[in-house]
């Protein structure tokens, strides 16, 4: 039987129509160099990271994993925080399908949360696949979190109030980071925010088949990203949960999780399954499935009603987690 896709929200469908000629839902390994040089890179360079003067911005180079290069952290501190004393820290992991991006990708979202809630943002740069396959990306993310926890007070942050967050590939790496922190007995974090997360290298859920050729990240692109990260291991029996968190057999003792995803995107079913498995393990998870949402919809169509609801839910969860 043909896999019939769920409909896009009408406002989001209109936004997709506007960008369909510049962003394809499908790309292959051969397309990676061209996409890395795309117009989006220039737009990132022009992003006002100060949020109209609300943040002091610093690029800092810190130690990477053992026997690996140093990594870059983008550190954004409120200029005039409403509260005195150490501030909560949002540790951000950027998206890009494991093959694209920098620590400026998607950082406008955590900066908006931090501006409203009074927090420091630290966004980590990690090595990209296929040049740097697993475990390079997640080990860089882990090393950046270690530095952030150890130096939180130095950057005005509270080491006891760190939330880890990421979207798409960054969401998958954030989930993997939570597993690593638990298993290595690393610094504790008080929450993990997994936005449209890339969790499962097997790429064989009903939603991955339904959305083939549609939206902004389809089954072909997903295969490209996972193959870049894992090579011939992708989809096989020996994939580490620190590469693909959906492979984890133990989801106990993880920080409270927020997960959201669109109903009309490739990652829908693996995100719902991950939340369900956290609950089945006795953990805490809040799950939102936004009707008619495509991958990353709230960033591409922030004016849409469903996007505004999603963004309000993000901030509300963070506010509750930080108040605990």
């Amino acid at each position: 039987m043909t896999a019939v896709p769920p409909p896009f929200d009408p406002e989001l469908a209109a936004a997709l129509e506007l960008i369909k000629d510049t962003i394809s839902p499908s790309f292959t390994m051969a397309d990676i160099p061209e996409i890395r040089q795309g117009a989006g890179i220039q737009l990132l360079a022009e992003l006002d990271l100060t949020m109209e003067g609300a943040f002091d911005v610093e690029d800092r180079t810190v130690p990477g994993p053992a026997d690996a290069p140093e990594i870059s952290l983008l550190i954004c501190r409120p200029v005039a925080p409403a509260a005195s004393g150490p501030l909560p820290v949002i540790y951000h992991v950027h998206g890009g399908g494991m093959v694209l991006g920098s620590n400026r990708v998607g950082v406008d979202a955590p900066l908006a949360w931090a501006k409203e809630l009074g927090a420091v943002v630290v966004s980590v740069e990690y090595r990209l696949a296929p040049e740097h396959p697993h475990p390079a990306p997640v080990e860089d993310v882990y090393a950046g979190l270690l530095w952030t926890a150890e130096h939180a007070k130095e950057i005005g942050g509270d080491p006891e109030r760190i939330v880890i967050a990421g979207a798409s590939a960054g969401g998958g790496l954030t989930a993997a980071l939570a597993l690593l922190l638990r298993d290595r007995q690393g610094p504790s974090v008080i929450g993990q925010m997994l936005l449209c997360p890339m969790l499962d290298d097997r790429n064989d859920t009903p939603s991955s088949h339904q959305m083939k050729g549609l939206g902004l990240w389809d089954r072909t692109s997903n295969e490209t990203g996972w193959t870049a990260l894992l090579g011939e291991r992708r989809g096989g029996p020996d994939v580490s949960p620190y590469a693909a968190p959906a492979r984890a057999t133990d989801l106990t003792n993880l920080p409270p999780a927020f997960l959201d995803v669109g109903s009309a995107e490739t990652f829908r079913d693996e995100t719902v399954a991950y939340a369900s498995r956290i609950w089945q393990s006795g953990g805490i998870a809040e799950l939102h499935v936004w009707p008619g949402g495509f991958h990353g919809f709230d960033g591409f169509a922030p004016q849409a009603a469903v996007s505004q609801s999603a963004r309000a839910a993000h901030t509300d969860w963070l506010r509750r987690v930080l108040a605990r």
Side-chain angles (χ1 to χ4, degrees), residues 7 24-25 50 135 141 167 235 266 276 315:
S24 168
T50 73
V141 169
T266 298
S276 295
T315 307

Side-chain angles (χ1 to χ4, degrees), residues 22-23 34-46:
T22 56
I23 302 179
E34 180 180 354
I35 295 173
R36 285 177 175 173
Q37 300 301 317
I41 302 299
Q42 180 62 34
L43 291 175
L44 288 171
E46 297 171 359

Side-chain angles (χ1 to χ4, degrees), residues 195-209:
L195 308 180
C196 53
M198 183 177 175
L199 298 167
D200 196 341
D201 66 295
R202 290 164 290 198
N203 197 26
D204 199 33
T205 62
S207 58
S208 75
H209 290 278

Side-chain angles (χ1 to χ4, degrees), residues 1 11 45 101-102 106 111 137-139 147 158 163 172 196 199 209 228 252 264 308 311:
M1 184 175 70
E11 287 185 285
S102 71
L111 284 173
V138 73
E139 290 292 353
W147 186 93
D158 183 349
V163 174
C196 53
L199 298 167
H209 290 278
T252 60
Q308 293 178 32
R311 291 189 166 201

